[in-house]
Amino acid sequence: GDSVTQMEGPVTLSEEAFLTINCTYTATGYPSLFWYVQYPGEGLQLLLKATKADDKGSNKGFEATYRKETTSFHLEKGSVQVSDSAVYFCALRLIQGAQKLVFGQGTRLTINP
Amino acid sequence: ETGVTQTPRHLVMGMTNKKSLKCEQHLGHNAMYWYKQSAKKPLELMFVYNFKEQTENNSVPSRFSPECPNSSHLFLHLHTLQPEDSALYLCASSPTDTFTDTQYFGPGTRLTVL
């Protein structure tokens, strides 16, 4: 079935470090891909999205490129801040079939000053 | 008030109680969703409503009963829950249920079943 696999956390980095959180997916069609972020005590917020191959989503210094050939949507940021500490979820949504988001298990990121 | 709001933010209930979770969106969207977020598990979609009609029930036990009286409000009625139902319940909305539409999430209701 359709699924999303994220790198296991928790991930701990120092401020200003480079961040990569890996995400790969399995889907029967051509999905839209999303990264959501959940700050402590809050609901999910959309961070960025891409709806077709080779699209790059970007927001708040984060980027992710839709790679159809490797079925990946890795999240990157060049210089992280303490305020980026949160749980990050990769998700896909299909054109056809059930109109739902399929989420990865989430990756907890902690940034130390 | 803007965005997606959920009440209550925290709820503790016994297994024999009946309670309801409320979600309201102020975004003019037509699709609304209930998700369950349990510890160490991916978010699970429970229900989808589009223009007040339920379009998906993801094999959710009948002790969870959704209600969507209009496109702005979504309820989740709870009765005779089990301790394993303790989780964060998230509501979301989107303009329609089209796959490219972004879903906007509320802050969630943290439910504890004793």
Side-chain angles (χ1 to χ4, degrees):
Chain A
D2 306 313
S3 65
V4 175
T5 302
Q6 294 180 230
M7 66 186 288
E8 283 200 30
V11 174
T12 303
L13 296 173
S14 298
E15 207 165 21
E16 299 183 3
F18 184 87
L19 169 71
T20 300
I21 300 179
N22 290 337
C23 171
T24 57
Y25 66 89
T26 302
T28 52
Y30 297 101
S32 286
L33 301 173
F34 304 81
W35 276 102
Y36 279 84
V37 58
Q38 186 175 31
Y39 297 104
E42 298 184 16
L44 276 70
Q45 301 175 25
L46 178 70
L47 182 60
L48 52 85
K49 72 176 185 181
T51 58
K52 61 182 188 294
D54 300 324
D55 268 2
K56 176 186 283 188
S58 61
N59 186 26
K60 299 182 181 179
F62 291 89
E63 293 183 340
T65 301
Y66 189 140
R67 301 286 188 200
K68 192 174 107 177
E69 63 275 13
T70 55
T71 62
S72 64
F73 193 54
H74 304 321
L75 182 68
E76 297 182 336
K77 186 174 185 181
S79 176
V80 292
Q81 306 300 313
V82 173
S83 57
D84 294 326
S85 298
V87 181
Y88 291 81
F89 294 90
C90 185
L92 66 82
R93 198 172 186 200
L94 294 168
I95 299 174
Q96 296 174 333
Q99 296 296 331
K100 64 180 183 182
L101 282 169
V102 176
F103 284 88
Q105 73 272 31
T107 301
R108 182 173 299 279
L109 173 67
T110 301
I111 307 299
N112 294 321
Chain B
E1 200 164 2
T2 59
V4 181
T5 58
Q6 290 186 242
T7 53
R9 293 293 307 275
H10 300 272
L11 178 62
V12 179
M13 59 187 289
M15 292 168 60
T16 58
N17 291 157
K18 290 185 179 181
K19 297 286 184 184
S20 295
L21 310 185
K22 179 182 176 182
C23 175
E24 184 173 1
Q25 57 94 2
H26 307 269
L27 301 169
H29 292 168
N30 294 302
M32 297 188 78
Y33 312 78
W34 279 117
Y35 285 87
K36 177 182 179 182
Q37 186 178 25
S38 304
K40 301 182 181 178
K41 290 177 68 175
L43 274 83
E44 303 169 79
L45 178 72
M46 299 175 73
F47 302 102
V48 181
Y49 278 82
N50 194 38
F51 291 95
K52 301 188 298 177
E53 298 298 319
Q54 187 180 121
T55 58
E56 182 156 351
N57 176 336
N58 199 25
S59 303
V60 180
S62 60
R63 58 185 184 270
F64 296 91
S65 175
E67 179 190 1
C68 188
N70 55 61
S71 291
S72 299
H73 294 86
L74 184 65
F75 295 89
L76 188 63
H77 304 299
L78 316 172
H79 63 97
T80 59
L81 294 191
Q82 305 297 313
E84 59 264 29
D85 297 323
S86 298
L88 181 69
Y89 289 85
L90 293 165
C91 174
S93 71
S94 60
T96 68
D97 64 355
T98 304
F99 80 107
T100 54
D101 277 359
T102 297
Q103 292 183 20
Y104 295 84
F105 284 79
T109 295
R110 174 71 60 186
L111 174 67
T112 302
V113 181
L114 302 177

